[in-house]
Amino acid sequence: MNRNKVNVIGAGRVGQTFLTLLNASADCQIQDVLSANYASAQQVVQQLGAGRAVEHISDLRRADLWIIAVPDTQISAVASALAKTLAGADADQPSIAFHCSGFFPADEMMPLRQLNWCLASVHPVLSFAHPDKAKDQFKGALCGLEGDEDAIAFLQPVLESLGASCFSIHSEGKSLYHAAAVISNNFTVVLQAIAREAWAKAGVADDIIPLLNAKLLESTVENVIALGPQDALTGPAARGDEKVVTSQGNDVARWHPEAGDVYRTLSTLAKTLKKDGATGRS
């Protein structure tokens, strides 16, 4: 059985995760790995026991599948350099390429269309804080797909064989889609940091703060999943206790002006959510 040859550009946390997952797939063969740091690429292929680390983009061989796992702002430049390097080589054998940005659509790799490649974006809704954890969490992870129909038709069964559940994203909605992920994930982390700092400022013992944080966060997640945001929401804004909201907002602002702005804005949205079932925009 022929296995799909895979090249990966970018050996950071996302690239390493895909390399590990695809290396265990019966349908894929890791071929070449290019990273900004050659030593990183060498280390990855040594750990995998598969593939070849290369130093320059011109060293990359033709492949069936290309994964562009570089930072968002580098995707276009990498695609341009790759298209220029491969122009005229095996033009009758188009490949499939995808990047992993939640913000940019597949067309960020537009120069590769000159090679008649099919393009897609693949955004696993997953925290890539550590490759080993991300690999284990990939099974059951939701994975947003956007791009050319032929690319998606190829990629969806591959991703599903790795354990992902795929869904479609509209190209024109990519920015708002990714903003939602940032709000749901990254901003939640920021809010936990603010809460911990406020508890510390209020004089709560250091050993108690993580326990408070964990218990409240765990119960909140459980309630949102079970009940939905409107019914899970509690607190002074949800109760309509304007005196507490105003006084508390002032206290927070005196301690931390930016956090005070966050408190007041979220209190307004919380009041609307509890009353109307939405924050006011749809």
Side-chain angles (χ1 to χ4, degrees):
M1 180 182 70
N2 292 329
R3 301 171 70 194
N4 295 306
K5 294 180 180 178
V6 181
N7 284 353
V8 176
I9 301 178
R13 290 172 292 188
V14 175
Q16 288 180 43
T17 301
F18 272 109
L19 281 164
T20 302
L21 290 166
L22 291 172
N23 189 47
S25 169
D27 298 323
C28 296
Q29 176 185 346
I30 304 302
Q31 182 174 252
D32 294 336
V33 179
L34 173 67
S35 186
N37 185 331
Y38 179 55
S40 296
Q42 286 182 308
Q43 182 178 3
V44 170
V45 298
Q46 288 173 359
Q47 290 173 345
L48 288 176
R52 180 187 69 151
V54 300
E55 290 191 72
H56 306 290
I57 201 165
S58 58
D59 296 330
L60 292 163
R61 294 168 288 183
R62 288 288 308 203
D64 303 298
L65 176 62
W66 295 74
I67 302 175
I68 313 299
V70 297
D72 289 9
T73 54
Q74 296 178 20
I75 292 171
S76 178
V78 167
S80 295
L82 187 58
K84 183 177 180 179
T85 300
L86 297 179
D90 299 328
D92 59 336
Q93 297 182 16
S95 300
I96 291 172
F98 74 83
H99 67 64
C100 303
S101 170
F103 175 75
F104 286 113
D107 282 349
E108 189 70 3
M109 301 181 295
M110 184 64 78
L112 294 175
R113 291 201 188 282
Q114 300 169 8
L115 308 180
N116 296 317
W117 287 16
C118 293
L119 309 178
S121 68
V122 173
H123 183 243
V125 186
L126 193 66
S127 174
F128 286 90
H130 193 281
D132 286 340
K133 288 187 178 295
K135 171 183 66 71
D136 294 338
Q137 293 168 348
F138 200 87
K139 187 173 184 179
L142 293 168
C143 199
L145 303 181
E146 172 273 334
D148 299 334
E149 289 185 6
D150 288 346
I152 291 174
F154 174 88
L155 290 168
Q156 183 162 342
V158 172
L159 294 165
E160 290 176 346
S161 73
L162 302 178
S165 296
C166 299
F167 65 96
S168 298
I169 308 172
H170 295 300
S171 299
E172 64 275 14
K174 279 294 294 277
S175 179
L176 189 58
Y177 156 80
H178 189 250
V182 170
I183 292 167
S184 179
N185 180 7
N186 307 129
F187 288 175
T188 297
V189 176
V190 175
L191 290 174
Q192 304 318 303
I194 294 172
R196 288 187 176 208
E197 291 163 16
W199 276 319
K201 181 65 176 179
V204 177
D206 289 347
D207 60 333
I208 299 298
I209 290 174
L211 301 178
L212 281 172
N213 191 194
K215 290 297 182 182
L216 278 173
L217 188 58
E218 288 168 2
S219 63
T220 300
V221 170
E222 290 176 5
N223 289 340
V224 170
I225 291 172
L227 305 174
Q230 183 181 24
D231 290 338
L233 184 63
T234 62
R239 294 193 300 269
D241 196 336
E242 295 295 338
K243 182 177 180 179
V244 171
V245 170
T246 300
S247 178
Q248 206 164 64
N250 292 336
D251 290 338
V252 174
R254 279 191 290 272
W255 162 66
H256 188 321
E258 292 84 359
D261 290 340
V262 170
Y263 181 94
R264 289 163 175 157
T265 299
L266 291 181
S267 292
T268 299
L269 294 176
K271 181 180 178 181
T272 304
L273 172 60
K274 197 63 176 181
K275 178 176 177 289
D276 300 335
T279 60
R281 300 289 180 182
S282 61

